[in-house]
Amino acid sequence: MQITKEHRHLTLKQIDAQETYKVRLPVLRPGRPIEDCEFNNDSHIDTFHLGLYFNADLIGVVTFMKTNNEAFPESKQYQLRGMAILQDYQGLKYGDILVEAGDSLVKERQGILIWLNAREIAVKFYERNGFTISGNPFNIPSVGTHYMMYKTI
Ligand SMILES: CC(C)(COP(=O)(O)OP(=O)(O)OC[C@H]1O[C@@H](n2cnc3c(N)ncnc32)[C@H](O)[C@@H]1OP(=O)(O)O)[C@@H](O)C(=O)NCCC(=O)NCCS
């Protein structure tokens, strides 16, 4: 996949679900058992995972699942899940690279809408990446307040 010059240490690859656990665990499930990193449909044929490497190290992951949300009339929807950048690499806009690459791959698969459940702290990040809040905030037990967000592509 294409990486711009200013990101010359970075490589983006499609990876297996299990590879994502290396970043999901410390960032999204700290202190929990590795089994808690698995999402339903992680290995579904329509699911894809992206990994961002800094030199040889996996530092960021994101997952896209072909899942329709009744809130939206569009037929070919993808859900963005498990967006995570290792703490030492957060705040450097590396997340944008994963979102942009995901958008292109969803388009290639004829997807027309991407939606997600955003943690409150990530809402601004997603807004900057073209997502809009839909509806009211809601609580996910033991994770906190979330907002459903979407964009058409
Ligand atoms: C949310 C996340 C994917 C964004 O990726 P990123 O590459 O860090 O994105 P950005 O560099 O654009 O930073 C996003 C915001 O977080 C702030 N930030 C996050 N972590 C930071 C850190 N360790 N140091 C400095 N700033 C940080 C940035 O200042 C920025 O704020 P702004 O939007 O007001 O400018 C990443 O920070 C992350 O993995 N966070 C923890 C897991 C998480 O919340 N995932 C989302 C689940 S819905």
Side-chain angles (χ1 to χ4, degrees):
M1 269 169 246
Q2 243 188 351
I3 299 284
T4 55
K5 269 189 189 151
E6 61 268 30
H7 298 313
R8 60 190 178 280
H9 299 291
L10 301 174
T11 317
L12 194 61
K13 290 184 198 164
Q14 284 202 46
I15 58 175
D16 292 339
Q18 294 214 337
E19 278 291 296
T20 68
Y21 299 177
K22 292 175 188 163
V23 179
R24 283 184 190 170
L25 185 66
V27 180
L28 299 172
R29 302 283 188 271
R32 308 248 293 265
I34 193 94
E35 297 77 43
D36 286 10
C37 290
E38 188 179 352
F39 301 154
N40 279 343
N41 290 327
D42 252 348
S43 302
H44 192 283
I45 186 139
D46 290 324
T47 297
F48 65 93
H49 309 273
L50 298 176
L52 185 64
Y53 291 78
F54 187 92
N55 296 329
D57 300 325
L58 182 64
I59 59 142
V61 297
V62 68
T63 296
F64 290 83
M65 293 186 177
K66 195 162 180 281
T67 310
N68 275 14
N69 182 322
E70 295 175 347
F72 309 110
E74 284 82 357
S75 56
K76 292 194 173 154
Q77 303 177 22
Y78 279 76
Q79 181 183 8
L80 183 161
R81 297 199 66 188
M83 175 81 201
I85 304 282
L86 287 183
Q87 193 169 9
D88 286 352
Y89 296 89
Q90 289 173 10
L92 300 171
K93 308 268 183 272
Y94 288 169
D96 296 0
I97 300 171
L98 288 166
V99 174
E100 277 167 29
D103 286 1
S104 307
L105 289 169
V106 166
K107 259 190 208 166
E108 274 179 22
R109 289 164 168 74
Q110 273 76 48
I112 51 175
L113 182 140
I114 299 175
W115 66 276
L116 56 89
N117 293 322
R119 294 175 185 209
E120 206 162 15
I121 53 152
V123 165
K124 271 175 65 181
F125 163 76
Y126 289 121
E127 282 178 341
R128 226 193 35 247
N129 278 284
F131 288 87
T132 305
I133 290 176
S134 168
N136 294 318
F138 58 96
N139 188 55
I140 297 184
S142 79
V143 193
T145 304
H146 280 71
Y147 291 81
M148 196 212 291
M149 301 183 76
Y150 72 99
K151 73 170 157 186
T152 50
I153 51 170

